[in-house]
Amino acid sequence: MTVPVGDISAPFTFLWDQWDSQVRDNVLQQFGYWGAAMAIASAIGLPVGVWLGHLHRGSFVAINTSNIGRALPTLGVLAVGIGVFGLTFLNIVVAFAVLAIPPILTNAYVGVDSVDPDAVEAAKGMGMRPREVLVRVELPLALPLIFAGLRTSALFVMATIPIAAIVGGKGLGEIINNQASFRLSGVIGAGILVIVLALGVNALLGVVQRLVTPRGLRLSGADSRGDAPPAKSVLPTTTTPEQ
Amino acid sequence: MTPVHAMLAAGGPVIPSFGKSSSCVQDNGAFCFDWIRDNWDSTFQPALINHLKLTVIAVGIGFVLALGLALLAHQRRWLITPLTLVFATVFTIPSLALFQVLVPISGLTVLTAEIALVGYTLSILFANIITGLREVPAEVRDAARGMGLSDRQILFRVELPIALPAVMAGLRIATVTVISLATIATVITVQSLGGPIFEGIQNDFKTKYVAAGLLTVVLALVADGLLVVTQRRLTPWARARRA
């Protein structure tokens, strides 16, 4: 077994040289898949999760969605989706959306469900109607967990999109899966880029979270209550490695 | 006519038969049950068994190593942070890239796949086991020491049983993750269920890859379910606490 001790700057040189011809297109494709999948997953997962949490119902559905979703093998879901619906942009996006919904839905549910009942009582006592309670009290207080779910999904989807290349999709997986053409430096370079993008969207959503959290909650530190555990924490993670 | 021609003419037209393929297969349907049934033994069963082998070996070795490292780090606290950092990094590497990067080192073999899979398992299990051990309340440990138990006895009779739910949760996540990653290992060794998926897609043979994909999903869900049942059986006190 020989360990190839190569030029450590080779992956970065690769990214730089091949940017125009290959890498930039792949990055745009990644964002295309990612954006569409996140949009669909949020459009489905957020309303359902928030609504169930507000009603304090359907915990069985919410928790088990998360369990089943976490268990789904990415390549399996992609294969079934493509087989049944064909290899198109939309089908790949749908497969990733399916994988992205569980963390969003479950976290939204748990976030709204676990809002301090005293706060809800106080709001009702002030005369707020259920919808007002939801929008003005429950949602802001649930924001940390909701965003934790969004960020988990965002990171997971971005880091998993390369898998689509195995089944003929596009994205940085085209490079990673093609060591013959792009050499090890290319594979490592694209791999590093994927990690950077995944952590990048996670950080970006963190900024959005900060901007969206009402000032009062931000000052009280409540906005970091439900932060997705940072990669370096010792907490057991509920996310799975990029598959 | 020569005697040969006469013989051939007498036998009627010769229609070559390349084997029986139903109309479903000829139309490239997404799920031809007859083809699946006919080819189970040759295509799906070996892949399934190999997939199971890959999974069991990876999770088994990963668990033993994680347990050993966690117990070591539990004694020598200074090890926790560096080990956690190392594993968190491995955790973030996109699996496709990790597989490809290992190929020049250990070839297109099962060993390469196992190295990567064990690495991911270790990352998940180490964090869970360490956290489980640390969550043991100090009062419980004090009480045990007050009862005269030695350090080793405390470990095996108090700390590990209390940490069991966290360990089982980690095992669940790790097993399900490995099942999913093992399909991706197909890019370096065709021995898992990813093989039929990949071949099916390359030859545009829908039933093959849809069925293999579904099989992976079912396998993951069944494994998850079995582990949940095992977890409930092994920790009856957790059930009572929740009730």
Side-chain angles (χ1 to χ4, degrees), chain B residues 74-141:
Chain B
H74 191 57
Q75 305 288 9
R76 292 155 224 259
R77 291 302 167 97
W78 59 268
L79 274 176
I80 293 184
T81 314
L83 280 179
T84 310
L85 278 179
V86 166
F87 288 136
T89 316
V90 172
F91 192 80
T92 334
I93 300 177
S95 55
L96 198 53
L98 183 58
F99 283 132
Q100 299 284 11
V101 163
L102 285 175
V103 165
I105 301 178
S106 54
L108 292 169
T109 61
V110 172
L111 177 65
T112 313
E114 287 292 355
I115 294 178
L117 291 176
V118 167
Y120 285 119
T121 313
L122 258 181
S123 311
I124 302 172
L125 282 177
F126 178 78
N128 273 51
I129 300 180
I130 270 284
T131 310
L133 286 173
R134 284 172 65 170
E135 298 267 290
V136 174
E139 310 89 64
V140 174
R141 226 178 272 141

Side-chain angles (χ1 to χ4, degrees), chain B residues 162-210:
Chain B
I162 295 185
L164 199 53
V167 173
M168 287 302 301
L171 261 180
R172 264 179 79 191
I173 301 177
T175 305
V176 151
T177 306
V178 167
I179 291 179
S180 178
L181 292 176
T183 59
I184 297 168
T186 194
V187 295
I188 55 179
T189 163
V190 285
Q191 295 195 349
S192 74
L193 277 171
I197 294 182
F198 197 48
E199 287 164 17
I201 290 181
Q202 288 205 304
N203 301 328
D204 195 26
F205 185 2
K206 286 197 183 143
T207 293
K208 195 168 179 181
Y209 64 85
V210 169

